Amino acid sequence: MSMENDKVLRTKLDQLECHFTWALKKDDMDLNRLDEQFKLDVEKKENPTQIYNALAYVKFLQGFQEEALSNLMTSLKLYKECHEEEFNKSLIVTYGNLAWINYHMKNYTECESYLQKVLKINENMSSESSSVPEVLGEKGWTFRRFSFKYYEKSKECFKKALDLEPEVGKWNAGYAIALYRTEYGEFTIENSPVIKQLRRAIETNPDDDVLKVLLALRLVMYKSYEEAERLVEAALERSPDHPHVLRYAGQFFNNKGSMDRAIALLKNALELSPNTSFIHHQLALCYKMKKIQLLQKGNHHVRGPEVQQIRDQIIYHLEMATTHATGFIKAMSDLALHYGEQHDVSRAEEMFQMTFETAKEKNDNLHVVHFHYAEFQFHCKRDEVLAIKHYMECRKMNPGSYEGKRSENNLKRIAEKRINKNTQDGEAYGILGFIHKEKGEKTQAIECYEKALSYGENDEYLTNLCALRLSI
């Protein structure tokens, strides 16, 4: 094909609505995790044409073009088994993907053929492909499944589809889940957009038990425990073998503190989806909570072997989570911390350095790594100076996160303990100054930095003090 013809063809391909034109960046995804997840989804036979479309694109990114083409042909075959119409708008994405994969394989005749099929569908529509609810729905689903970085885009797509077809259940469900992933503002149970949309989604999808468990998880945030538990128990009764229902129910009972129930449900989910990193991670979190509960009972010497057994379970499930999802930052940094708890300090340090590098490369959860590294320094290496440094980094990066709040509390506890021992500890007042400064409490921050400087010279405290005085 001549360069001029290739340029014309690429212009037409770029105008299509499909995975190849949705700016899905390879660096934003864990392709191995997606590959495993979509294969499991295929077995469930839910939205198979959609799943095969997504799996095809993953295979393309992995460099397996023949497999990508095969998956797309399967998607098309499954659609035709259920529908007679060859030029339905539901096929816009599949035909677009087929045009692109054939272009990359230099099958230009087939590429042009699928382009023509998309054009024929467009001729019968009054709107652009980008405004078709079926396209918006698949786009929203794709953004949600491929990376957390695309959650906002997913929400926008489902909202547009819902504006066009407000009574359609799958758009209501998609928008509800997208909101669940993105909305964490200061709301009441009455005005929470997530709760309102989840209730609406359940109305339009009364048999969707996953939505009920998600609603329960959000209701707990507003202390509506009775309704939440009713929803979870009803979902488990109706869908006892649904892996998503089981894993979210496990998360619910974990949050509630019913660790044995949570672990049992998650193990059931793991039998259905053995290679799911999310479930392994949730099991690790359950065992962590069980370990904390055990340690809080005291008598550590007697309970030592039991605590060690639980710690072994935590490490096993974190290792499995990181094996099945490379680049799982939260699991990686938590695993490094637990290596430290096992007194395997060199292995912990090595794991932390790898996790820091991965988090920086992916721009993903770096504050979590700083928090776990601070915990490692404080509890395993007894290096309070380095712990303080990394708690501060975590607090600066993400103050509203669980790790950010824990870091602030730990810094406050360290500072207050030091002041109780020595009322002239300048560094302790410097820590309190940092906390007040980060919270925007300028007057209190100035007072703390002035105290810190009165007990010893420190250029950082002086710089912060001058900046604060100038800003008032």
Side-chain angles (χ1 to χ4, degrees), residues 170-184:
K170 55 187 174 182
W171 311 149
N172 274 287
Y175 186 51
I177 295 170
L179 276 175
Y180 180 85
R181 298 274 183 250
T182 56
E183 296 290 329
Y184 286 96

Side-chain angles (χ1 to χ4, degrees), residues 63 91 134 206 260 271 288 290 294 301 326 329 381 396 405 426 441 460:
L91 285 170
E134 286 80 359
D260 290 336
E271 288 180 12
K288 273 181 70 174
K290 196 164 185 175
L294 198 61
H301 178 70
T326 54
I329 302 301
K381 296 190 74 174
K396 282 191 285 189
K405 291 173 182 175
E441 299 166 352
E460 184 183 348

Side-chain angles (χ1 to χ4, degrees), residues 23-297:
L24 299 164
K25 297 178 182 177
K26 190 175 179 179
D27 290 344
D28 290 340
M29 312 169 201
D30 183 339
L31 294 178
N32 292 332
R33 179 189 67 79
L34 289 171
D35 191 358
E36 289 171 359
Q37 185 58 57
F38 291 145
K39 284 175 181 174
L40 287 170
D41 289 341
V42 164
E43 292 174 13
K44 295 176 209 162
K45 298 180 180 178
E46 295 178 9
N47 299 318
T49 56
Q50 197 174 67
I51 299 292
Y52 275 109
N53 266 333
L55 183 57
Y57 190 66
V58 169
K59 288 298 181 186
F60 168 75
L61 292 177
Q62 290 176 320
F64 305 124
Q65 293 187 0
E66 290 289 349
E67 283 189 58
L69 179 59
S70 174
N71 281 307
L72 288 171
M73 295 309 294
T74 301
S75 174
L76 188 58
K77 175 175 173 285
L78 289 170
Y79 175 85
K80 288 182 176 179
E81 285 175 358
C82 302
H83 307 84
E84 293 182 2
E85 192 177 350
E86 185 182 357
F87 298 104
N88 189 285
K89 55 190 176 182
S90 297
L91 285 170
I92 289 171
V93 175
T94 305
Y95 284 152
N97 283 336
L98 279 163
W100 267 100
I101 193 66
N102 278 290
Y103 170 79
H104 282 293
M105 296 175 75
K106 297 182 170 52
N107 301 329
Y108 298 120
T109 303
E110 288 85 349
C111 173
E112 289 280 8
S113 171
Y114 287 114
L115 267 172
Q116 289 305 312
K117 288 178 185 294
V118 176
L119 289 173
K120 188 163 184 178
I121 295 172
N122 289 340
E123 285 173 5
N124 298 321
M125 297 191 309
S126 57
S127 60
E128 297 290 325
S129 294
S130 58
S131 299
V132 173
E134 286 80 359
V135 172
L136 288 165
E138 186 157 357
K139 194 173 183 179
W141 181 90
T142 300
F143 282 141
R144 191 182 81 223
R145 295 298 295 275
F146 271 63
S147 174
F148 71 93
K149 294 182 180 180
Y150 304 143
Y151 283 169
E152 287 293 338
K153 290 182 178 180
S154 173
K155 184 172 73 173
E156 291 169 13
C157 289
F158 281 119
K159 181 65 169 65
K160 287 177 182 176
L162 199 57
D163 287 342
L164 293 165
E165 296 181 343
E167 301 303 317
V168 173
K170 55 187 174 182
W171 311 149
N172 274 287
Y175 186 51
I177 295 170
L179 276 175
Y180 180 85
R181 298 274 183 250
T182 56
E183 296 290 329
Y184 286 96
E186 295 294 326
F187 300 106
T188 65
I189 195 169
E190 291 78 20
N191 69 10
S192 164
V194 186
I195 289 176
K196 181 180 178 182
Q197 184 56 37
L198 279 167
R199 292 194 191 283
R200 173 64 182 147
I202 291 167
E203 283 178 15
T204 54
N205 300 270
D207 296 329
D208 193 327
D209 291 309
V210 174
L211 292 171
K212 294 169 189 174
V213 184
L214 290 179
L215 176 57
L217 283 168
R218 193 47 66 98
L219 286 170
V220 166
M221 293 175 62
Y222 298 95
K223 298 182 171 51
S224 184
Y225 300 114
E226 287 187 17
E227 182 185 1
E229 191 148 0
R230 280 200 307 272
L231 284 164
V232 173
E233 295 293 0
L236 286 169
E237 187 175 345
R238 279 175 42 86
S239 304
D241 298 320
H242 194 301
H244 293 314
V245 170
L246 287 169
R247 77 187 206 182
Y248 289 129
Q251 190 177 340
F252 171 83
F253 285 109
N254 181 13
N255 294 345
K256 188 185 173 189
S258 304
M259 310 319 304
D260 290 336
R261 180 87 187 274
I263 289 168
L265 288 167
L266 289 167
K267 283 186 174 179
N268 288 344
L270 202 57
E271 288 180 12
L272 296 166
S273 306
N275 298 325
T276 305
S277 57
F278 177 92
I279 298 174
H280 279 293
H281 187 233
Q282 285 298 311
L283 273 164
L285 294 179
C286 287
Y287 280 112
K288 273 181 70 174
M289 184 56 68
K290 196 164 185 175
K291 179 188 72 174
I292 291 166
Q293 289 175 345
L294 198 61
L295 290 171
Q296 286 173 343
K297 291 178 181 178

Side-chain angles (χ1 to χ4, degrees), residues 172-445:
N172 274 287
Y175 186 51
I177 295 170
L179 276 175
Y180 180 85
R181 298 274 183 250
T182 56
E183 296 290 329
Y184 286 96
E186 295 294 326
F187 300 106
T188 65
I189 195 169
E190 291 78 20
N191 69 10
S192 164
V194 186
I195 289 176
K196 181 180 178 182
Q197 184 56 37
L198 279 167
R199 292 194 191 283
R200 173 64 182 147
I202 291 167
E203 283 178 15
T204 54
N205 300 270
D207 296 329
D208 193 327
D209 291 309
V210 174
L211 292 171
K212 294 169 189 174
V213 184
L214 290 179
L215 176 57
L217 283 168
R218 193 47 66 98
L219 286 170
V220 166
M221 293 175 62
Y222 298 95
K223 298 182 171 51
S224 184
Y225 300 114
E226 287 187 17
E227 182 185 1
E229 191 148 0
R230 280 200 307 272
L231 284 164
V232 173
E233 295 293 0
L236 286 169
E237 187 175 345
R238 279 175 42 86
S239 304
D241 298 320
H242 194 301
H244 293 314
V245 170
L246 287 169
R247 77 187 206 182
Y248 289 129
Q251 190 177 340
F252 171 83
F253 285 109
N254 181 13
N255 294 345
K256 188 185 173 189
S258 304
M259 310 319 304
D260 290 336
R261 180 87 187 274
I263 289 168
L265 288 167
L266 289 167
K267 283 186 174 179
N268 288 344
L270 202 57
E271 288 180 12
L272 296 166
S273 306
N275 298 325
T276 305
S277 57
F278 177 92
I279 298 174
H280 279 293
H281 187 233
Q282 285 298 311
L283 273 164
L285 294 179
C286 287
Y287 280 112
K288 273 181 70 174
M289 184 56 68
K290 196 164 185 175
K291 179 188 72 174
I292 291 166
Q293 289 175 345
L294 198 61
L295 290 171
Q296 286 173 343
K297 291 178 181 178
N299 203 347
H300 296 181
H301 178 70
V302 174
R303 299 185 182 278
E306 195 175 347
V307 171
Q308 185 56 51
Q309 284 181 347
I310 293 173
R311 189 177 288 122
D312 289 343
Q313 286 292 321
I314 296 168
I315 289 173
Y316 167 74
H317 286 292
L318 287 173
E319 286 179 338
M320 293 300 290
T322 56
T323 299
H324 294 304
T326 54
F328 192 162
I329 302 301
K330 287 188 175 184
M332 289 170 70
S333 61
D334 205 357
L335 178 58
L337 174 60
H338 279 84
Y339 286 152
E341 284 191 17
Q342 292 275 57
H343 308 295
D344 195 344
V345 174
S346 60
R347 192 178 186 186
E349 285 281 13
E350 184 181 344
M351 187 76 178
F352 270 121
Q353 293 316 307
M354 182 173 69
T355 309
F356 269 118
E357 289 170 12
T358 306
K360 287 172 184 173
E361 283 174 17
K362 297 180 71 173
N363 190 25
D364 175 19
N365 279 313
L366 184 55
H367 71 285
V368 175
V369 191
H370 278 292
F371 172 72
H372 282 138
Y373 194 58
E375 294 278 278
F376 168 67
Q377 293 297 334
F378 190 79
H379 296 289
C380 303
K381 296 190 74 174
R382 309 295 180 189
D383 188 334
E384 192 173 273
V385 174
L386 260 181
I388 290 167
K389 175 186 173 184
H390 288 279
Y391 281 136
M392 285 181 169
E393 285 298 319
C394 175
R395 175 59 177 76
K396 282 191 285 189
M397 285 182 177
N398 200 331
S401 66
Y402 167 80
E403 293 81 9
K405 291 173 182 175
R406 282 280 306 276
S407 291
E408 181 182 318
N409 290 336
N410 290 346
L411 287 168
K412 196 180 296 181
R413 193 177 297 115
I414 290 169
E416 289 171 350
K417 185 177 179 180
R418 288 173 66 160
I419 290 168
N420 285 336
K421 285 185 177 179
N422 176 12
T423 56
Q424 295 186 1
D425 189 324
E427 286 187 16
Y429 285 108
I431 294 169
L432 293 177
F434 165 82
I435 294 169
H436 288 303
K437 177 174 72 71
E438 290 298 310
K439 293 172 76 172
E441 299 166 352
K442 296 179 182 179
T443 304
Q444 296 96 316

Side-chain angles (χ1 to χ4, degrees), residues 449-460:
Y449 281 130
E450 284 175 342
K451 279 188 179 180
L453 286 167
S454 70
Y455 298 128
E457 293 183 10
N458 186 302
D459 291 341
E460 184 183 348

